[in-house]
């Protein structure tokens, strides 16, 4: 029986052994096709040598360079964005701060009063620098704004908007520590004995009171000058000046009138040539820049909108001296004349104007012959002369004011014979300096520093007077001795003009510059100087508002051209 059992077990074991290969073969046939492919790929990968880069192996050089470049771009982009946001925020902050001035100190009856006549370069520079905590300040001017006169020729041809070069006087005075009274009126009389100024309202609308008189402790006389006509007949009646904003606007209207009238049907060729002939009198910076601006207007705009007339427009510059721009070096004068010749601007030197008629100008040529030149417009930019109120003031001091060119002043800008109470600056004076904006601006800054010294001196003297009446103790004696030393150190230095150079625009995107460097002069001309000319004028403007408006006008002119509409 035991043998039977063992035999049965062996038979079962053999049957199981024989059936196992069949089951494995069946399972192999039942596996999905994807599994077999996976096993084959594993076998293939195991048999091939590996090409995977180890973790410790550095990246290739090109990938590292690309990574650094992307990092640099990211940093640069963030820095640029931060710069733009910061600049925009700063710009907005400054504009809002300028638009909303804070509270000011009221007038103090114990302080001395400074009356400023005028709102030109000298007066505006004084107001900008003056410390109003020491004084009560009153400004009297027929204009309630400051005019940036060097850019006036650009307004005359439409390159700049008139408002872009105006700076309201109250913009400066409202940002001072103490309140400054600004009165838009025309000064009629100055009494140097009584120390009073009489002025009247010159506006179209007048109230019940249109004239009054106020007193002063110090008077800053900065009324400027008028255009010199040299008594030539017809200049006032038929010429267009280039002194005030109204002159530039009038010239722009008159110039377009000449162009449109020349385009009227039926005009003879002779009449067209007359209407399109522009004569500029005066070879100084104003006349040169105006001629250059007219040339740019012709080349950049009129040739596009008036092609039938543009080639007939002529510009003639008349100068009585042997050369134009006498304040510049010979090299720059020659460069200017050659540039004008290429621009077809005719220069007549050693030529004098004898009479200005409605449709022509009488010229005395170098050979003394008198020639009548037909023209459509005469622009007069030649010389300055004192105003009537200046002549009246000088007549009240006949022994000391004998110079016909203007008010005589000493080295401290004090008017001779005024008992040190009147200071005269700018074009109304007869100093040894040229009547330029640069001189007047430096005189205004100098006078503001002088007034600061006066206030300090008055405060020391008032304190010394108080100490004299006080009990004489050791402390008061020491303080008095210290104040006396401070008083001795207060020395009023004379005015000294520092020439910063001369600039002039000559058209065709070119300018000239005569700049003092060390002990010599640096003369430059061309397109690069033109860019310097623009940047210098932008930096000279008194406010961010004006800089923004002027820069925007230049950009608009470059993109869209000048306006040729006839008002």
């Amino acid at each position: 029986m035991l043998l039977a059992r063992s035999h049965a077990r062996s038979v079962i074991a053999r049957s199981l052994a024989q059936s196992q290969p069949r089951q494995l073969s069946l399972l192999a046939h039942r596996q999905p096709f994807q599994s077999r492919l996976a096993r084959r790929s594993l076998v293939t990968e195991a048999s091939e040598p590996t090409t995977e880069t180890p973790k410790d192996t550095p990246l290739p050089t090109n990938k590292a360079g690309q990574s650094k470049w992307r990092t640099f771009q990211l940093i640069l982009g963030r820095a640029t964005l931060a710069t733009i946001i910061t600049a925009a925020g700063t710009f907005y902050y400054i504009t809002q701060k300028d638009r909303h001035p804070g509270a000011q100190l009221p007038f103090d009856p114990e302080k001395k009063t400074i009356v400023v006549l005028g709102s030109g370069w000298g007066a505006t520079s004084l107001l900008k620098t003056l410390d109003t905590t020491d004084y009560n300040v009153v400004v009297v001017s027929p204009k309630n704004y400051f005019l940036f006169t060097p850019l006036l020729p650009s307004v005359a041809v439409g390159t700049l908007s008139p408002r872009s070069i105006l700076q309201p006087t109250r913009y400066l005075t409202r940002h001072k520590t103490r309140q400054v009274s600004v009165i838009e009126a025309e000064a009629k009389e100055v009494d140097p004995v009584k120390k009073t100024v009489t002025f009247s309202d010159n506006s179209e609308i007048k109230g019940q009171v249109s004239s009054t008189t106020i007193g002063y402790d110090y008077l800053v006389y900065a009324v400027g000058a008028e255009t010199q006509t040299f008594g030539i007949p017809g200049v006032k009646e038929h010429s267009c000046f280039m002194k005030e904003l109204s002159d530039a606007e009038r010239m722009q209207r008159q110039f377009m009138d000449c162009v449109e009238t020349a385009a009227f049907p039926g005009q003879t060729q002779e009449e067209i040539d007359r209407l399109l002939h522009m004569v500029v009198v005066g070879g100084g910076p104003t006349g040169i820049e105006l001629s250059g601006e007219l040339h740019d207007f012709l080349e950049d705009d009129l040739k596009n909108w008036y092609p039938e007339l543009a080639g007939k427009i002529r510009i003639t510059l008349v100068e009585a001296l042997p050369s134009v721009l006498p304040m510049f070096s010979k090299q720059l004068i020659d460069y200017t004349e050659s540039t004008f010749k290429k621009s077809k601007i005719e220069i007549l030197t050693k030529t004098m104007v004898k009479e200005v008629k409605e449709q022509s100008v009488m010229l005395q040529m170098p050979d003394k012959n008198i020639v009548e030149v037909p023209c459509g417009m005469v622009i007069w930019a030649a010389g300055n002369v004192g105003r009537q109120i200046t002549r009246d003031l000088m007549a009240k001091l006949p022994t000391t004011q004998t110079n016909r060119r203007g008010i005589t002043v000493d080295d401290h800008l004090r008017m001779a014979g005024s008992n040190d109470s009147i200071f005269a600056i700018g074009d109304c004076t007869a100093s040894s300096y040229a009547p330029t904006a640069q001189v007047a601006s430096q005189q205004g800054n100098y006078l503001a520093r002088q007034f600061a010294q006066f206030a300090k001196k008055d405060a020391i003297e008032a304190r010394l007077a108080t100490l004299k009446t006080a009990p004489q103790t050791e402390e008061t004696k020491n303080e008095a001795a210290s104040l006396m030393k401070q008083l001795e150190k207060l020395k009023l230095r004379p005015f000294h003009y520092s020439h910063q150079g001369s600039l002039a625009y000559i058209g065709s995107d070119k300018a000239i510059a005569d700049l003092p460097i060390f002990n010599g002069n640096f003369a430059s001309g061309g397109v690069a100087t033109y860019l310097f000319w623009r940047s210098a004028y932008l930096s000279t403007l008194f406010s961010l508002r004006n800089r923004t408006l002027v820069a925007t006008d230049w950009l608009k002119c470059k993109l869209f051209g000048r306006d040729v509409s006839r008002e």
Side-chain angles (χ1 to χ4, degrees):
M1 187 174 181
L2 291 172
L3 290 172
R5 290 178 179 177
S6 61
H7 177 71
R9 291 176 179 172
S10 62
V11 171
I12 293 172
R14 284 196 301 271
S15 64
L16 289 174
Q18 292 174 357
S19 64
Q20 186 174 2
R22 294 179 182 178
Q23 292 176 356
L24 292 174
S25 176
L26 181 62
L27 288 174
H29 285 290
R30 290 180 180 178
Q31 284 180 346
F33 181 71
Q34 291 84 353
S35 299
R36 291 199 297 266
L37 289 177
R39 285 200 304 271
R40 290 176 183 175
S41 63
L42 289 175
V43 172
T44 304
E45 291 176 358
S47 62
E48 294 179 355
T50 180
T51 60
E52 183 179 356
T53 304
K55 294 182 179 181
D56 296 337
T57 304
L59 293 174
T61 305
N62 59 340
K63 292 185 179 180
Q66 292 177 358
S67 177
K68 291 181 181 179
W69 174 246
R70 290 176 182 176
T71 303
F72 171 75
Q73 287 181 319
L74 182 62
I75 295 175
L76 180 62
R78 291 177 178 177
T80 303
L81 181 61
T83 303
I84 294 174
I85 294 175
T86 304
T90 304
F91 180 85
Y92 179 78
Y93 171 77
I94 294 176
T95 56
Q96 296 308 302
K97 184 179 179 181
D98 290 343
R99 286 188 60 192
H100 303 91
Q104 294 178 295
L105 297 175
F107 272 61
D108 188 349
E110 297 182 358
K111 301 290 184 180
K112 291 184 177 181
T113 300
I114 299 177
V115 175
V116 182
L117 297 185
S119 58
W121 280 92
T124 303
S125 298
L126 168 70
L127 293 173
K128 187 176 181 181
T129 313
L130 182 65
D131 185 2
T132 57
T133 57
D134 301 323
Y135 299 96
N136 298 317
V137 183
V138 179
V139 181
V140 180
S141 176
K143 301 176 296 185
N144 66 348
Y145 58 84
F146 163 75
L147 176 65
F148 193 83
T149 51
L151 290 177
L152 204 57
S154 298
V155 176
V157 297
T159 304
L160 297 178
S161 171
R163 293 287 176 178
S164 299
I165 62 172
L166 296 184
Q167 178 63 60
T169 303
R170 283 181 172 83
Y171 176 91
L172 292 176
T173 59
R174 277 292 285 118
H175 288 83
K176 307 303 290 187
T177 305
R178 188 181 300 281
Q179 179 183 354
V180 177
S181 178
V182 179
I183 304 172
E184 185 181 2
E186 185 175 357
K188 296 297 184 180
E189 183 184 3
V190 175
D191 192 332
V193 178
K194 296 180 180 180
K195 292 185 177 181
T196 59
V197 176
T198 301
F199 51 87
S200 60
D201 186 2
N202 63 344
S203 61
E204 296 180 359
I205 300 177
K206 296 180 175 59
Q208 294 181 353
V209 179
S210 59
S211 181
T212 187
T213 301
I214 61 173
Y216 63 83
D217 294 295
Y218 296 112
L219 175 66
V220 179
Y221 195 84
V223 300
E226 297 176 340
T227 302
Q228 174 68 277
T229 63
F230 303 99
I232 299 174
V235 173
K236 288 185 178 181
E237 294 80 6
H238 307 299
S239 295
C240 182
F241 295 156
M242 195 52 55
K243 188 74 172 177
E244 304 293 343
L245 184 63
S246 58
D247 298 332
E249 293 174 332
R250 176 191 171 190
M251 183 206 143
Q252 187 179 17
R253 292 192 301 268
Q254 191 170 340
F255 177 75
M256 291 309 304
D257 283 350
C258 290
V259 175
E260 291 292 351
T261 304
F264 194 82
Q267 298 286 8
T268 64
Q269 187 61 47
E270 183 180 359
E271 182 66 6
I272 292 175
D273 293 339
R274 182 192 70 81
L275 289 169
L276 299 182
H277 184 200
M278 310 301 160
V279 177
V280 181
V281 181
T286 302
I288 291 293
E289 291 186 344
L290 185 59
S291 301
E293 291 281 2
L294 279 172
H295 171 265
D296 289 351
F297 191 18
L298 170 63
E299 293 294 326
D300 298 340
D301 301 286
L302 296 181
K303 282 189 174 181
N304 296 326
W305 311 121
Y306 300 88
E308 72 281 4
L309 298 177
K312 302 175 182 178
I313 296 178
R314 295 169 52 210
I315 303 172
T316 300
L317 179 65
V318 178
E319 172 56 46
L321 297 176
S323 66
V324 297
L325 298 174
M327 69 289 297
F328 285 81
S329 64
K330 183 66 169 56
Q331 177 185 0
L332 294 179
I333 293 174
D334 295 339
Y335 178 76
T336 302
E337 291 178 348
S338 63
T339 302
F340 273 24
K341 186 176 181 179
K342 293 178 182 178
S343 302
K344 297 181 180 179
I345 299 176
E346 185 180 6
I347 299 179
L348 300 179
T349 56
K350 299 180 182 179
T351 304
M352 299 179 63
V353 177
K354 288 300 182 180
E355 184 181 358
V356 178
K357 298 183 179 181
E358 186 176 0
Q359 297 184 355
S360 63
V361 56
M362 305 297 295
L363 300 178
Q364 178 179 304
M365 307 307 289
D367 57 3
K368 305 301 180 181
N369 290 330
I370 303 298
V371 178
E372 184 174 3
V373 179
C375 59
M377 181 173 60
V378 176
I379 304 100
W380 192 270
N384 295 324
V385 66
R387 300 183 184 274
Q388 183 61 46
I389 185 177
T390 303
R391 294 193 290 270
D392 294 341
L393 176 59
M394 294 172 61
K396 294 180 180 180
L397 302 170
T399 58
T400 55
Q401 297 297 326
T402 58
N403 195 323
R404 293 184 179 181
R405 294 191 300 111
I407 296 175
T408 302
V409 295
D410 62 7
D411 293 338
H412 297 86
L413 305 181
R414 294 173 295 200
M415 181 178 181
S418 65
N419 296 323
D420 299 341
S421 61
I422 299 179
F423 296 83
I425 57 178
D427 296 351
C428 63
T429 63
S431 62
S432 58
Y433 307 111
T436 62
Q438 191 176 157
V439 173
S441 179
Q442 292 188 24
Q443 288 176 338
N445 291 330
Y446 164 81
L447 208 53
R449 296 191 298 269
Q450 291 294 91
F451 281 130
Q453 295 292 321
F454 295 159
K456 191 174 182 180
K457 180 181 178 181
D458 292 342
I460 293 176
E461 290 177 347
R463 180 57 181 167
L464 286 173
T466 303
L467 292 177
K468 287 181 180 179
T469 59
Q472 297 299 310
T473 62
E474 188 67 24
E475 183 179 354
T476 57
K477 291 180 180 180
N478 292 336
E479 184 180 357
S482 177
L483 291 175
M484 288 298 297
K485 291 181 180 179
Q486 295 181 25
L487 193 61
E488 292 175 357
K489 293 181 180 180
L490 286 178
K491 295 182 180 180
L492 301 179
R493 298 181 179 179
F495 171 73
H496 176 69
Y497 170 64
S498 176
H499 184 59
Q500 302 299 317
S502 300
L503 295 171
Y505 179 62
I506 60 175
S508 304
D509 291 342
K510 296 178 182 179
I512 56 175
D514 202 345
L515 308 175
I517 296 180
F518 301 108
N519 294 327
N521 284 357
F522 174 74
S524 174
V527 178
T529 308
Y530 164 71
L531 298 176
F532 173 76
W533 173 82
R534 280 199 164 183
S535 62
Y537 277 9
L538 277 180
S539 63
T540 309
L541 290 165
F542 278 96
S543 67
L544 178 62
R545 168 185 171 274
N546 288 122
R547 297 187 186 101
T548 304
L549 292 177
V550 169
T552 304
D553 286 346
W554 279 338
L555 179 61
K556 289 191 298 183
C557 180
K558 196 68 175 178
L559 294 176
F560 306 108
R562 299 167 182 83
D563 188 11
V564 295
S565 301
R566 177 180 179 181
E567 296 183 4

